[in-house]
Amino acid sequence: MSWRPGRIDFVLGLASVLPAWAALAGHLEHEARPPDPLAFTLVAVVGLPMLVARRAPVPALGLSIALLFGYYWTGYAAVGLVLPLAPALFVVAQAGRVRLGAVVGSTLLVLSTAFRLLGGERDQEPGVVIGYDGVLSLALLAAVLALGDAVRSRRGWQEELDRRLRLAGQERETEAQRRVADERVRIARDVHDLLGHAVAIVTLHAAVAAESLDDDPQAARRSLETIRSVSREVLHDLGDTVGLLRGDAPTSVEPAPGSSGVADLVAATASTGLDVRLVVRGPEQPLPRAVEATVHRLVQEALTNVLRHAHARTATVTLEHGAADLTVTVTDDGAGEPATTAPGHGLQGMRERVALLGGRLSAGNRDGGGFTVTAVLPVAVDRVGAPA
């Protein structure tokens, strides 16, 4: 890919050439060859490597040094050493080669000072050459290298800051996507529980209504009333759930505190003909809303499974209130679960709900027949959501 020098490259070239031109125009060394257009052209050539210095810092520095010594070989007046090479040394330090720049610059200063003292300028006072010119050149060299290294450090710091900001943005985006996915899973569990329970009750009551339509119209009427009531409730709950997907404010509240919400589920399930009992042990206490919602959904899903799969005659829902935990147990005397059957979405959803609260859930066949679901949920506010 072709490369063209930019504004900074031209500025670096001018920074190398202009001070040298000024020194040449001053013609401070009268015994040297007088300046002419060729001298100014040769000085300009010394600055040409700056056009590619940012792309190849070390080769550009070497070429600048060679061109500068070539200029001095022609016998024209001195234009300095560190000053024409300052841009090249700056770029080398900016590229992270400070030590190389220091070694090269110091070596050139030593050679230049030795040449002035032993060769070309024997009439110069050693104190002036070393104590004045040498110290100034050394200070300029150190300042140029320090500036280049500072620019490199600042640029690296800015790049690191930008990288961290990008990572933070990506993490926020990932976290937002995770929250959206978690909310979708939660809504899917709610829809599964709502529809599963409602369909199970409606199906059983529809069968009762069909069987008793001729022999017992009142029983058929009661079953149809139950179907209508359950259907209305589930449609209302589904409306709230769909509203959450649209971002609407919820129009309903979580299940009622205590065992009243569970009692309503038990009563609705008992209306299908299943003998269901609710047992509450221990003194009831206010529960976090998340625990209330989870208890409601656990019992709802467990009773739905009893109605749909267990072929049970009786079931028992037990709420045991402890000092720090609430134990929810749903048992039935049905057929149980075949050993070869993989856990369904309902049981998986119950495990996920309990795990989110830092609780634990066990489910399996009972000795002597039937199935048991047991969930232990923390009820202390500081423990809800902690890992089990």
Side-chain angles (χ1 to χ4, degrees):
M1 185 176 65
S2 61
W3 178 82
R4 297 173 58 185
R7 295 179 181 177
I8 297 179
D9 302 301
F10 283 107
V11 169
L12 290 172
L14 290 176
S16 175
V17 172
L18 292 180
W21 273 354
L24 188 61
H27 190 42
L28 301 177
E29 296 181 354
H30 299 287
E31 67 277 4
R33 183 177 176 182
D36 53 26
L38 177 60
F40 286 92
T41 302
L42 292 176
V43 170
V45 171
V46 174
L48 287 179
M50 291 299 95
L51 299 180
V52 296
R54 290 192 302 156
R55 192 175 181 88
V58 176
L61 174 62
L63 183 58
S64 295
I65 294 173
L67 292 174
L68 183 61
F69 276 97
Y71 165 81
Y72 279 121
W73 181 77
T74 61
Y76 285 110
V79 293
L81 180 67
V82 177
L83 202 57
L85 298 177
L89 293 170
F90 168 81
V91 175
V92 168
Q94 188 181 11
R97 307 295 296 275
V98 180
R99 182 174 298 179
L100 174 64
V103 171
V104 172
S106 300
T107 302
L108 291 176
L109 283 177
V110 171
L111 293 177
S112 173
T113 302
F115 174 78
R116 293 177 63 183
L117 292 176
L118 302 177
E121 301 180 8
R122 292 183 179 179
D123 56 336
Q124 287 278 358
E125 291 291 336
V128 174
V129 175
I130 299 176
Y132 183 74
D133 293 345
V135 171
L136 286 180
S137 297
L138 184 62
L140 178 60
L141 172 64
V144 169
L145 294 176
L147 179 61
D149 187 60
V151 172
R152 181 191 64 83
S153 299
R154 179 176 177 81
R155 182 173 298 172
W157 174 81
Q158 186 63 46
E159 291 176 354
E160 177 65 16
L161 179 61
D162 293 341
R163 185 186 69 83
R164 292 188 179 186
L165 289 176
R166 287 195 301 271
L167 289 177
Q170 293 173 359
E171 290 177 358
R172 287 195 297 270
E173 181 66 21
T174 302
E175 177 65 15
Q177 293 177 356
R178 186 191 66 79
R179 289 179 179 273
V180 170
D182 290 345
E183 183 64 14
R184 287 176 177 173
V185 171
R186 186 190 68 80
I187 293 174
R189 286 197 298 260
D190 286 344
V191 172
H192 175 275
D193 295 347
L194 285 171
L195 290 180
H197 188 70
V199 169
I201 293 178
V202 167
T203 301
L204 291 175
H205 277 284
V208 172
E211 292 176 358
S212 59
L213 187 60
D214 296 328
D215 300 333
D216 192 351
Q218 291 299 324
R221 183 182 298 275
R222 287 193 298 271
S223 294
L224 293 175
E225 288 291 338
T226 301
I227 290 174
R228 183 173 65 177
S229 175
V230 171
S231 301
R232 184 168 56 246
E233 290 177 2
V234 74
L235 286 175
H236 177 72
D237 291 341
L238 283 175
D240 287 345
T241 302
V242 174
L244 289 176
L245 290 174
R246 294 197 304 258
D248 299 339
T251 58
S252 63
V253 296
E254 298 290 345
S259 60
S260 58
V262 175
D264 293 339
L265 288 175
V266 170
T269 306
S271 67
T272 64
L274 180 67
D275 183 9
V276 187
R277 294 182 299 164
L278 173 61
V279 178
V280 180
R281 297 172 181 166
E284 293 191 41
Q285 55 184 323
L287 301 176
R289 294 183 64 185
V291 176
E292 285 289 344
T294 299
V295 171
H296 189 275
R297 295 305 186 199
L298 285 177
V299 175
Q300 186 179 58
E301 179 61 25
L303 291 179
T304 300
N305 289 339
V306 172
L307 291 175
R308 297 174 61 183
H309 308 299
H311 307 290
R313 296 188 304 273
T314 64
T316 303
V317 178
T318 303
L319 302 180
E320 186 172 351
H321 295 269
D325 300 296
L326 172 64
T327 302
V328 182
T329 305
V330 181
T331 61
D332 65 75
D333 62 352
E337 185 179 63
T340 58
T341 302
H345 293 294
L347 185 57
Q348 180 62 29
M350 285 192 282
R351 293 188 188 279
E352 292 173 354
R353 289 180 186 275
V354 172
L356 287 175
L357 297 182
R360 58 186 184 275
L361 182 139
S362 61
N365 294 331
R366 298 170 57 197
D367 294 337
F371 197 79
T372 300
V373 176
T374 302
V376 180
L377 303 172
V379 297
V381 175
D382 59 345
R383 290 184 56 199
V384 173

